[in-house]
Amino acid sequence: MLELLVCPLTRTALRYDIEAQELISSEAKLAYPIRDGVPIMLTSEARLLSKKEKFFI
C-alpha cells in the first residue's frame, strides 16, 4: 500500500519509519502520523522534521 501513497503537499514518495509509526516526506520535510494503522495524510496533522532528522533523510 505504501507504493500508492504520496505526500499530499509535494506528490512525492513517502518513506515508512516503523519505530515512529510515521510516513516521512523527504521533499516536504514532514512526518505524517499513523494512528491505529491508518495514515493521517493531512498537512495540518503532520509534524516538521527537526534539523537532526533532516540530516538522515
Side-chain angles (χ1 to χ4, degrees):
M1 184 166 151
L2 181 59
E3 295 83 28
L4 300 175
L5 294 176
V6 295
C7 174
L9 189 63
T10 63
R11 304 283 187 239
T12 56
L14 298 166
R15 180 177 54 85
Y16 178 50
D17 183 340
I18 195 166
E19 273 186 31
Q21 287 295 294
E22 294 175 324
L23 294 174
I24 308 296
S25 171
S26 300
E27 193 74 28
K29 311 292 190 272
L30 293 173
Y32 296 95
I34 298 173
R35 297 187 189 127
D36 298 321
V38 178
I40 311 299
M41 303 302 296
L42 301 170
T43 54
S44 61
E45 292 290 320
R47 69 174 182 85
L48 269 173
L49 296 176
S50 69
K51 288 183 182 184
K52 182 180 177 183
E53 290 173 308
K54 289 177 191 176
F55 180 74
F56 291 106
I57 295 176

